[in-house]
Amino acid sequence: MDETTRAREVRAPEVVPFGWEPTRSIAPDVSDAEARFRFPAADDPTPGNRRLLTMSIYALFLGLGGVGIGVRGMVSQIGGGVPVWYTGVLALLGLVSVALAVGGYLSIHRRTLPWVLLLGAAVPLIADIMLAVAY
């Protein structure tokens, strides 16, 4: 076969490689150390205990707030009197909050990015709280 008819091999870049898998280079000038979001590799230094504990406690409060809002939303939905869009918006804001918190944990080896993402996860949760209080 000549070059024009042979199927080209297309390799997708590794967005979030696992630590036990061999990593491929995304581009010649981008290294794994520069990746924003990735699972920690086996040879990565462990994050400090204080940092991990602080992030975990903060995520605990985010999670408890989310569960409380979920229960409040379910009670409101069962009791009736809420608009049709209420449950969907409540769930969407909760999912955005969870996605930002997960991003914070995936970027734990960065200096400030995890804190920005975890603080950003509180914004949709606060909007959820305000929506739940309104109904």
Side-chain angles (χ1 to χ4, degrees):
M1 285 193 295
D2 60 15
E3 284 295 316
T4 58
T5 58
R6 187 172 17 168
R8 247 180 56 190
E9 179 182 336
V10 178
R11 295 175 64 178
E14 287 286 339
V15 177
V16 184
F18 291 97
W20 58 85
E21 294 178 336
T23 58
R24 297 180 302 198
S25 176
I26 297 171
D29 57 339
V30 177
S31 69
D32 283 343
E34 295 173 359
R36 295 271 187 245
F37 300 100
R38 64 182 175 84
F39 286 109
D43 58 344
D44 281 343
T46 58
N49 288 338
R50 184 178 300 154
R51 179 183 185 98
L52 188 59
L53 180 65
T54 306
M55 286 177 67
S56 298
I57 290 172
Y58 185 78
L60 168 78
F61 287 122
L62 286 175
L64 288 176
V67 168
I69 294 303
V71 169
R72 170 77 169 120
M74 183 180 69
V75 168
S76 296
Q77 187 71 30
I78 291 172
V82 295
V84 175
W85 53 265
Y86 176 75
T87 307
V89 171
L90 211 63
L92 179 68
L93 289 172
L95 288 175
V96 169
S97 181
V98 168
L100 289 170
V102 168
Y105 274 95
L106 285 177
S107 63
I108 194 168
H109 291 300
R110 299 284 168 214
R111 184 175 177 92
T112 58
L113 185 60
W115 303 113
V116 169
L117 290 172
L118 284 174
L119 288 173
V123 173
L125 188 63
I126 290 170
D128 249 357
I129 291 170
M130 292 181 353
L131 182 63
V133 168
Y135 291 99

